[in-house]
């Protein structure tokens, strides 16, 4: 069983993964803490299981995921904050 | 116990069925108003059967009291009683989507810290049951320390339990005044969720998986290529329907109006009163009233798309594309609402967190073709574009209308791109878009929404449009032509003078003075341009007006007039709402100036090109 940490935006469609961390990301500058908090409020917490369900047309952006039975659309930059370990297929 | 008014507020996540619940609880007694000082619609309804006077407030959906986009701030300010002249509500009715209970409970726990009496409504209880989710409401109620009831807002008897819980609450709760303080966040999000997991473990058993058809539908709707094709088809169908399906009813209204004009004309003796009633009142109001079916069809599409859960998916699909011009998927919903009316469209930009993106969205949303432009387009297209079919399926008139919509959309994209080209496009603000479960739009809720929109339109017809019709008739009638007049009487009137005064400015566009005069009242409401034209040409009924235009205007000029209306900010309410929402005089002046300049330039260009081509 591999436990390599992979950011969400690099996961393939259909992948299931467990969140291990919400990392900081320079993209959001001083808003980064706010974005982290909002992600957590929406249920993106370490330990939660998510599944990648689809991508947008251009550059696989945004990415759609399901978590706690709810679907969300996230940009690659937001998804990059979410560090996961992939479940074996 | 005092019999003072008890105020309930509905609070919950976006898409948890709050509005349907609101409709079921208040029925047709609801009224739409604005919050004092800010332009966010508040829906208020009186509640009966609670043993004392009570009202219900519907709030914008919110995920959190702490991290807030502008619309969530409104919800927070109402809950805390920070709105001017309004105390905090007396009782909170927290609404949680029973199929999405975890996310909803988080807000409930946050709200509970405020210390207000609360009732928890587990909405969409039927959908939850059919997915095999069972909720032990007694247990949940005991653990949370508040009444918990299951509701099915879309069904008639689905809210009876909630009503009795509210009645019980009404017997004990006191109405209050003043503000609440937002307590410091008592615990970290992690701890909050841990508590929720405990709650759920004891009172909910759930295979929390959406039904398979939802996922299959998403595979199509959110498919990068097929999804976009579907979106284009839906929009094309919508515009086609507005033109094709509305026609029979419009002809009917037109005929009734013509009959009314004739009957009234026959009853009244010739003279000033006769002219006032026939040419002023009936022709003016009838000229706008005839567009009610088109507006109803347009709103029917928008309401159904809103209710079904489709719109956030469209925003998802378009996010990357819209980022190309410095906007985001979040701008899509305000843009789409602006097809109905830019005023609510601009208000809904409050869900955009990035202030710069929000400003650009406000400045460009009015380029979306609103329903008030429809009457103007419809009359001109009806008169000048032949009723012929193209490729067997579309008709040329519908396609022309579609082209006008596209012109507005393309221009908005271009303007947004120009405004934002100097900065990195929309970086730094998250999208974080919830993609709610699909739902069948509910008939009762849908009809109520349509009725609300129709009555807003009819109220406009009965007030501002009626008043303007009277003023216009007056301007077009006085002073009377001299006895030895050689020209039509209107040329001697105030309207004639005013139009001729403006006409040199618009001469390069080919507008005659009748067209100029119609632009003035159109500043108050674009659709009045139609009744103004009917008044200056002294004809009643859409068909008769079309005939008059066809005789008097050339095709290039008619097209230039359409181009003018695509761009011109001919709407004082929109300008006022831009001023209020941007809170900047400079932005408002730029908004008005750039759109008038674009309108002038576009009309000039269209006229020249059409003249060359013809």
């Amino acid at each position: 069983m591999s436990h390599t940490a992979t950011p969400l935006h690099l996961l393939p469609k259909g992948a299931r993964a467990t969140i291990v961390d919400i990392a900081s990301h320079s993209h959001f500058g001083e808003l980064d803490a706010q974005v982290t908090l909002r992600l957590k409020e929406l249920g993106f917490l370490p330990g939660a299981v998510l599944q990648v369900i689809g991508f947008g047309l251009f550059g696989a952006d945004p990415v759609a995921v399901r978590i706690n039975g709810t679907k969300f659309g996230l940009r690659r930059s937001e998804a990059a904050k979410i560090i996961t370990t992939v479940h074996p297929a | 116990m005092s019999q003072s008014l008890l105020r309930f507020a509905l609070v919950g996540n976006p898409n948890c069925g709050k509005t349907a619940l609101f409709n079921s609880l208040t029925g047709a007694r609801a009224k739409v108003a604005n919050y004092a000082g800010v332009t966010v619609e508040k829906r208020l309804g009186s509640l009966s059967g609670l043993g004392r006077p009570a009202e219900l407030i519907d709030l914008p959906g919110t995920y959190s009291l702490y991290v807030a986009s502008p619309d969530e701030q409104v919800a927070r300010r109402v809950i805390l009683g920070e709105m001017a002249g309004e105390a905090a509500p007396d009782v909170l009715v927290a609404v949680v989507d029973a199929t999405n209970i975890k996310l909803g409970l988080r807000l409930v726990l946050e709200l509970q810290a405020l210390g207000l009496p609360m009732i928890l409504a587990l909405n969409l209880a039927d959908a939850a049951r059919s997915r095999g989710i069972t909720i032990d409401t007694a247990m949940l109620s005991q653990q949370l320390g508040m009444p918990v009831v299951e509701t099915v807002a879309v069904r008639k008897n689905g809210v009876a339990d909630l009503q009795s819980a509210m009645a019980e609450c009404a017997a004990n709760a006191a109405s209050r005044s003043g503000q609440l303080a937002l307590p410091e966040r008592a615990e970290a999000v992690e701890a909050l969720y841990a508590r929720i997991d405990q709650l759920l473990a004891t009172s909910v058993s759930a295979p929390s998986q959406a039904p398979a058809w939802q996922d299959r539908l998403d595979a199509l709707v959110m498919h990068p290529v097929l999804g976009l094709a579907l979106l284009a088809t839906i929009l094309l169908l919508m515009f086609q329907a507005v033109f094709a399906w509305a026609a029979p009813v419009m002809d009917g209204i037109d005929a009734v109006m013509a009959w009314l004009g004739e009957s009234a004309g026959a009853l009244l003796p010739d003279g000033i009163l006769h002219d006032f009633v026939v040419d002023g009142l009936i022709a003016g109001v009838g000229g706008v009233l005839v567009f009610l079916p088109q507006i109803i069809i347009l709103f029917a599409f928008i309401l159904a798309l809103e209710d079904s859960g489709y719109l956030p998916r469209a925003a998802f699909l378009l996010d990357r594309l819209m980022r190309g011009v410095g906007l985001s998927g979040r701008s899509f919903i305000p843009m789409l609402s602006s097809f109905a009316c830019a005023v609510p469209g601009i208000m809904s930009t409050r869900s955009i967190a990035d202030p710069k993106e929000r400003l650009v969205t406000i400045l460009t949303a009015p380029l979306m073709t609103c329903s008030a432009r429809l009457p103007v387009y419809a009359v001109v297209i009806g008169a000048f574009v032949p009723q012929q079919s193209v490729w067997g399926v579309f008709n040329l008139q519908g396609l022309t209308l579609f082209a006008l919509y596209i012109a507005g959309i393309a221009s908005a994209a271009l303007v947004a791109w120009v405004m934002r080209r100097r900065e990195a496009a929309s970086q730094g603000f998250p999208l974080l878009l919830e993609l709610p479960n699909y739902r069948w739009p509910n008939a009762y809720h849908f009809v109520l929404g349509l009725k609300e929109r129709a009555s807003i339109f009819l109220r406009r017809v009965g007030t501002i449009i009626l008043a303007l019709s009277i003023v216009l008739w007056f301007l077009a009638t006085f002073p009377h032509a001299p006895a030895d007049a050689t020209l039509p009487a209107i040329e001697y009137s105030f309207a004639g003078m005013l139009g001729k005064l403006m006409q040199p400015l618009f001469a390069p566009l080919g507008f005659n003075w009748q067209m100029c005069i119609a632009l003035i009242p159109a500043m108050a409401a674009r659709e009045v341009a139609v009744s103004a034209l009917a008044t200056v040409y002294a004809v009643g009924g859409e068909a008769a007006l079309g005939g008059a235009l066809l005789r008097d205007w050339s095709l290039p000029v008619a097209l230039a007039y359409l181009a003018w209306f695509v761009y011109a900010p001919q709407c004082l309410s929109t300008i006022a709402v831009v001023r209020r929402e941007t809170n900047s005089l400079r932005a408002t002046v730029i908004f008005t100036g750039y759109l008038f300049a674009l309108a002038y330039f576009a009309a000039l260009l269209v006229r020249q090109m059409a003249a060359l081509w013809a």
Side-chain angles (χ1 to χ4, degrees):
Chain A
M1 220 168 108
S2 95
H3 279 287
T4 331
T6 317
L8 172 59
H9 70 291
L10 297 179
L11 297 180
K13 186 172 171 178
R16 292 168 59 82
T18 302
I19 299 177
V20 290
D21 190 24
I22 307 295
S24 63
H25 193 306
S26 59
H27 176 85
F28 296 100
E30 59 198 44
L31 288 168
D32 191 68
Q34 288 268 318
V35 178
T36 302
L37 194 57
R38 168 91 340 161
L39 278 170
K40 286 182 173 175
E41 285 190 333
L42 296 181
F44 291 90
L45 284 171
V49 175
L50 56 79
Q51 183 176 19
V52 178
I53 53 178
F55 296 101
L57 177 55
F58 309 98
D61 188 15
V63 49
V65 298
R66 177 175 26 231
I67 183 164
N68 298 326
T70 313
K71 294 172 184 174
F72 289 98
L74 306 177
R75 293 216 180 116
R76 283 177 76 84
S77 49
E78 292 138 37
K81 286 172 65 66
I82 300 169
I83 312 300
T84 65
T85 52
V86 188
H87 297 194
Chain B
M1 200 78 234
S2 80
Q3 287 302 294
S4 55
L5 184 74
L6 198 66
R7 297 168 66 244
F8 289 83
L10 278 178
V11 201
N13 293 158
N15 306 305
C16 64
K18 263 192 320 309
T19 303
L21 206 53
F22 178 85
N23 286 342
S24 307
L25 286 167
T26 62
R29 297 184 299 273
K31 56 177 190 287
V32 180
N34 277 326
Y35 285 105
V38 285
T39 32
V40 158
E41 276 189 351
K42 90 170 158 184
R43 300 176 81 243
L44 258 184
S46 62
L47 294 163
S48 57
L50 298 187
R52 63 189 282 189
E55 67 176 16
L56 185 65
I57 313 164
D58 192 17
L59 293 178
T62 182
Y63 291 110
S64 166
L65 289 175
Y66 293 92
V67 184
S69 61
D71 60 335
E72 290 178 308
Q73 276 166 24
V74 171
R76 179 174 71 193
R77 287 176 58 198
V78 175
I79 295 168
L80 299 178
E82 290 172 1
M83 283 290 174
E86 264 181 53
D90 306 308
V91 182
L92 296 180
V93 180
V95 187
V96 168
D97 175 350
T99 64
N100 193 1
I101 195 163
K102 215 167 166 179
L103 192 60
L105 276 183
R106 211 196 53 75
L107 179 66
V108 171
L109 293 184
E110 250 180 41
L111 291 169
Q112 203 174 21
L114 296 175
L116 286 174
M118 274 179 81
I119 300 171
L120 175 58
L122 291 170
N123 200 22
L124 300 159
D126 54 340
R129 256 194 300 280
S130 75
R131 284 191 201 175
I133 302 173
T134 50
I135 301 171
D136 182 346
T137 51
M139 179 62 120
L140 195 59
S141 165
Q142 192 198 334
Q143 288 185 307
L144 284 170
M146 65 177 79
V148 176
V149 290
E150 293 192 346
T151 55
V152 184
V154 296
R155 237 181 272 136
K156 229 179 167 184
N157 303 321
V159 296
D161 291 347
L162 179 57
Q163 272 165 330
S164 43
M166 287 167 80
E168 209 168 301
C169 216
N172 304 318
S175 65
R176 54 190 300 133
S177 56
Q179 300 190 359
L180 296 172
L182 182 63
E184 282 292 306
R185 193 191 272 279
E187 52 190 320
V189 186
E190 286 86 348
L192 213 55
Y193 266 109
R195 203 138 66 84
I196 292 169
D197 282 335
Q198 275 173 2
L199 282 173
L200 295 182
T202 50
S203 48
V204 178
S205 73
S208 186
Q209 201 66 276
W213 68 268
Q214 295 249 353
D215 288 346
R216 277 202 296 275
L217 192 54
D218 260 343
L220 168 69
V221 168
M222 290 172 55
H223 187 279
V225 179
L226 296 179
L228 280 176
L230 181 70
L231 177 61
T233 311
I234 289 174
L235 293 180
L236 188 61
L237 183 72
M238 173 164 127
F239 300 133
Q240 181 75 7
V242 163
F243 239 75
W245 302 354
V249 191
M250 292 174 70
D251 291 345
I253 296 180
D254 219 20
V256 169
M257 280 302 174
W259 172 82
L260 212 62
E262 271 168 36
S263 318
L267 275 175
L268 294 165
D270 270 359
I272 196 83
L273 185 67
H274 173 278
D275 294 348
F276 172 69
V277 172
V278 177
D279 302 332
L281 285 186
I282 296 177
V285 170
V288 176
L289 194 62
V290 72
F291 297 100
L292 182 63
Q294 290 191 330
I295 284 161
I296 288 182
I297 291 179
L298 185 71
F299 274 110
F301 269 87
I302 289 183
L303 281 173
L305 290 176
E306 262 177 7
D307 273 11
S308 65
Y310 178 73
L311 288 185
R313 270 122 180 134
F316 173 87
L317 285 171
L318 293 174
D319 179 65
R320 189 67 190 82
L321 205 63
M322 296 184 75
R323 239 185 301 162
V325 297
L327 299 172
S328 78
R330 287 215 180 263
S331 322
F332 171 73
I333 294 170
M335 293 284 185
L336 190 75
S337 311
S338 297
F339 283 120
C341 174
V343 173
I346 287 172
M347 287 184 220
S348 64
T349 60
R350 283 166 177 261
S351 61
I352 302 173
D354 178 353
K356 282 185 188 149
E357 182 193 339
R358 178 162 177 252
L359 179 64
V360 174
T361 309
I362 289 174
L363 296 185
T364 52
L367 282 169
M368 302 299 118
T369 301
C370 65
S371 54
R373 283 176 176 103
L374 217 48
V376 184
Y377 290 176
V379 158
V380 178
I381 291 175
F384 288 88
V385 178
Q387 178 76 264
Q388 69 188 48
S389 72
V390 179
W391 307 314
V393 259
F394 301 113
N395 79 52
L396 192 57
Q397 295 190 339
L399 279 182
T400 309
L401 184 69
F402 189 60
L404 290 171
Y405 276 87
I406 294 293
I409 297 166
S411 308
L414 196 67
V415 170
W417 179 78
V418 169
M419 286 179 180
R420 298 213 72 178
R421 74 186 185 291
R422 264 172 299 169
E423 28 180 322
S426 182
Q427 296 294 303
F429 281 86
L431 179 68
L432 286 177
L433 199 63
E434 186 185 346
L435 308 167
N437 290 319
Y438 291 105
R439 260 174 236 156
W440 281 112
N442 172 256
Y444 174 71
H445 177 49
F446 178 76
V447 168
L448 216 59
L450 273 188
K451 231 172 74 185
E452 212 168 271
R453 292 295 147 185
S455 77
I456 289 173
F457 175 76
L458 291 177
R459 219 179 307 148
R460 252 162 92 85
V461 170
T463 54
I464 188 160
I465 292 173
L466 178 66
L468 285 170
S469 296
I470 293 171
V471 171
L472 256 172
W473 174 83
F474 178 83
L475 289 176
T477 307
F478 299 101
H480 284 308
D484 57 348
T486 49
L487 297 165
I490 189 163
E491 301 222 9
Y492 301 93
S493 67
F494 291 121
M497 293 178 217
L498 207 58
K500 284 177 186 158
L501 206 65
M502 287 168 68
Q503 202 266 337
L505 183 64
F506 290 94
L509 314 183
F511 294 5
N512 60 25
W513 61 265
Q514 289 95 332
M515 297 164 88
C516 293
I517 187 90
L519 296 182
I520 297 174
M523 279 307 291
R526 285 185 178 93
E527 57 268 54
V528 184
V530 172
S531 30
L533 288 170
T535 308
V536 293
Y537 284 110
V539 288
E542 199 204 337
L545 178 59
L549 299 186
L550 196 56
R551 279 191 298 278
D552 205 43
W553 302 1
S554 67
L555 178 63
V557 170
L559 294 178
Y561 208 54
L562 289 178
W564 171 270
F565 272 93
V566 169
Y567 297 100
Q570 290 267 13
C571 178
L572 289 174
S573 343
T574 303
I575 295 174
V577 89
V578 168
R579 172 80 179 86
R580 208 155 21 167
E581 292 291 311
T582 59
N583 202 19
S584 151
L585 186 62
R586 186 168 162 267
T588 314
V589 169
I590 290 175
F591 167 79
T592 315
Y594 103 83
L595 283 175
F596 270 128
L598 263 184
Y600 196 90
F601 178 72
L604 189 66
L605 194 72
V606 164
R607 187 199 172 203
Q608 301 297 343
M609 280 177 26
L612 273 179
W613 176 71

